[in-house]
Amino acid sequence: MSLFPALFRNRFRMLVACLLVVFGVFGVVHAVRASLATHLYLKTKYGLFAGYAFGVPKLERGPEVFSRAYRASGLYPANYYFSAYAAKCALYDALSAQGSGDFRNELARAHYFARQAVGINPYEAEGRMVYALTLAEDGKIAEAIAYWRNQVVDREFWNTDNHNFLANLYLRSFSVEDMELAVAELPFVGDNDLRKKLQKLKKTLGR
């Protein structure tokens, strides 16, 4: 004999069935939103039919890229790839801007998207690089260096690309101490042209 009356069991089964339906609908909605956001990203970066003669050309930069990135973020905030791509496009626009106003606006946009990308995934290479560059372009070179050294190099020390980037950040500073720190990166730098530059700087500093 069951411990629970038939009416209770039927209501419990109905409740479980309703919960399964709700969770199922939620899952479908989430999947559709994620799919739409991913489609926007792929369409923007690669074109609608990448590799085909009738493909839609990709949007490398411009307001439409950012409009789609905002829409995609609203649909599926976890898509950090689109944020990183939009950040890079905005940084390109900032560096090619003709006036200081446009430069500031695009740089702020680049920083917004880059911060969004690294906030979702701190290991996303493109996003964190743009994040550091936006700080440097904004005159916050010390913050850019601290971020890259603490959040990137300390985590992935044996990646020579990370040391290349850090050395270049040091070289953007006017501080003698930073110049010396750039030279200290010599054993870890992999780029030949950068190594030559650092070796010349080492001689200049008398190290």
Side-chain angles (χ1 to χ4, degrees), residues 126-140:
E126 196 169 71
R128 65 190 186 184
M129 187 174 291
V130 175
Y131 181 77
L133 286 174
T134 57
L135 288 173
E137 290 294 333
D138 197 28
K140 302 172 182 176

Side-chain angles (χ1 to χ4, degrees), residues 43-192:
K43 181 180 178 180
T44 303
K45 187 172 183 180
Y46 302 109
L48 186 58
F49 300 106
Y52 291 85
F54 52 88
V56 176
K58 67 177 181 178
L59 303 172
E60 295 186 352
R61 59 185 71 177
E64 187 66 19
V65 172
F66 311 127
S67 174
R68 291 181 180 179
Y70 286 121
R71 285 163 54 198
S73 179
L75 288 168
Y76 183 58
N79 187 350
Y80 54 85
Y81 289 112
F82 206 161
S83 297
Y85 179 67
K88 184 175 71 171
C89 292
L91 181 61
Y92 284 153
D93 284 351
L95 296 177
S96 59
Q98 299 301 312
S100 60
D102 290 339
F103 171 79
R104 301 299 307 176
N105 290 336
E106 294 304 328
L107 188 64
R109 197 197 311 267
H111 186 73
Y112 167 82
F113 281 118
R115 185 176 57 196
Q116 188 177 70
V118 298
I120 301 169
N121 182 3
Y123 299 98
E124 207 289 316
E126 196 169 71
R128 65 190 186 184
M129 187 174 291
V130 175
Y131 181 77
L133 286 174
T134 57
L135 288 173
E137 290 294 333
D138 197 28
K140 302 172 182 176
I141 188 65
E143 288 184 38
I145 290 171
Y147 165 75
W148 195 262
R149 184 177 57 230
N150 299 331
Q151 301 299 320
V152 180
V153 175
D154 286 354
R155 290 176 174 179
E156 303 168 21
F157 186 83
W158 299 111
N159 187 331
T160 57
D161 290 337
N162 294 339
H163 289 281
N164 294 342
F165 193 84
L166 180 59
N168 278 313
L169 285 178
Y170 281 132
L171 291 175
R172 295 182 65 149
S173 171
F174 294 103
S175 165
V176 175
E177 180 182 356
D178 284 338
M179 297 295 104
E180 292 174 343
L181 289 171
V183 170
E185 289 294 311
L186 254 173
F188 312 109
V189 165
D191 183 85
N192 288 331

